Amino acid sequence: MTVIANTLIVLTIVVGLLFTVVTVIGVLRLPDVYTRAHAASKSATLGVLSILVGTFFHFWLNEGYFSVRILLGILFLFITAPIGGHLMSRAAYFSGVKPTELTVGDDLAEVVERAKKEKQIN
Amino acid sequence: MKANDVILQTATKVVFFIIFLFSIHIFFAGHFAPGGGFVGGLLTTAAIVLLLLAFDLKTVQQALPFNFMIVVAIGLVLAIGMGAGSFVFNVPFLTHAFGDFYLPLFGVTSLHTAMIFDAGVYLVVVGSTVTMIQSIGGES
């Protein structure tokens, strides 16, 4: 039982660490704000979540302490971290940060253009 | 162009209650675990600030119709009243009493009068920080 529990704990924490390292590499190497926000918000969320799951199982199975705080933290991060990424990249878009040269299409530009025209007519 | 805040506002409606419940938990855990009135008050303020970020000042003032200056006053009265209550029992100022009581839902609970002092700290922290943020944000 202890071996299975410890394997589970080590596995989740190692997966979390790997995803955090991948986040760092992505933020350093990707070309523009949007691809970096994509790397940072997705893989960092999963990394921190699996580290928290590992911590939760460690305290539950080895120490016998069922920590509701960690579960609440998992839920909280799962809700808020992607929204943080969304708000930051939207703020970047509306303050005029251009996407990288490699970008194929920009669907939001048409919508913003149309909204501006409607505002001028009104 | 009017900003479209659907995602932020919907998330705020859920996240506000998580932060608020956590602040209540921190407040009550303060006697035996890390936490207490100050941290709990700051967390409640953080929840209210999140509401202020997602909605505008008027909506939040309608949703929470308190004058936060009066909240500070109530907190100070609670703290001083708990200290002054010790005079009734002829013990030094701020001496606190405790005991185990049977409550209907919670079973045997140990209640301290230090909790009243902590509630005072909580109300003072919430009142003063929210007043500061509202008065800085309201003028512009």
Side-chain angles (χ1 to χ4, degrees), chain B residues 101-114:
Chain B
F101 296 95
Y102 182 79
L103 297 181
L105 268 174
F106 299 96
V108 177
T109 318
S110 97
L111 295 176
H112 297 243
T113 53

Side-chain angles (χ1 to χ4, degrees), chain B residues 15-105:
Chain B
V15 165
F16 173 77
F17 290 103
I18 298 179
I19 304 177
F20 189 68
L21 283 179
F22 188 62
S23 80
I24 299 290
H25 164 75
I26 283 281
F27 170 68
F28 279 110
H31 204 78
F32 296 111
F38 187 73
V39 191
L42 282 183
L43 268 169
T44 309
T45 315
I48 295 173
V49 168
L50 183 64
L51 279 185
L52 283 168
L53 284 176
F55 303 92
D56 53 351
L57 198 62
K58 267 188 187 159
T59 320
V60 176
Q61 276 171 347
Q62 277 172 2
L64 303 167
F66 311 118
N67 185 353
F68 282 93
M69 305 275 235
I70 294 174
V71 173
V72 176
I74 294 171
L76 287 174
V77 165
L78 271 184
I80 294 175
M82 179 259 148
S86 58
F87 289 140
V88 178
F89 302 98
N90 205 15
V91 283
F93 186 58
L94 285 176
T95 307
H96 81 105
F98 58 92
D100 292 333
F101 296 95
Y102 182 79
L103 297 181
L105 268 174

Side-chain angles (χ1 to χ4, degrees), chain A residues 20-40 43 100 102:
Chain A
T20 318
V21 171
V22 165
T23 309
V24 174
I25 297 172
V27 169
L28 286 176
R29 284 191 52 87
L30 287 173
D32 69 342
V33 179
Y34 309 106
T35 45
R36 282 179 182 176
H38 156 79
S43 52
T100 165
L102 301 167

Side-chain angles (χ1 to χ4, degrees), chain A residues 89-106:
Chain A
S89 42
R90 203 183 65 160
Y93 188 89
F94 285 122
S95 49
V97 178
K98 288 273 170 282
T100 165
E101 303 284 307
L102 301 167
T103 310
V104 182
D106 187 357

Side-chain angles (χ1 to χ4, degrees), chain A residues 38-58:
Chain A
H38 156 79
S41 57
K42 265 188 198 160
S43 52
T45 311
L46 185 60
V48 176
L49 286 196
S50 33
I51 289 174
L52 279 177
V53 167
T55 322
F56 171 73
F57 278 123
H58 169 71

Side-chain angles (χ1 to χ4, degrees), chain A residues 1-12 58 61-62:
Chain A
M1 184 60 203
T2 328
V3 177
I4 298 173
N6 282 335
T7 317
L8 183 71
I9 293 159
V10 169
L11 217 66
T12 46
H58 169 71
L61 300 174
N62 290 344

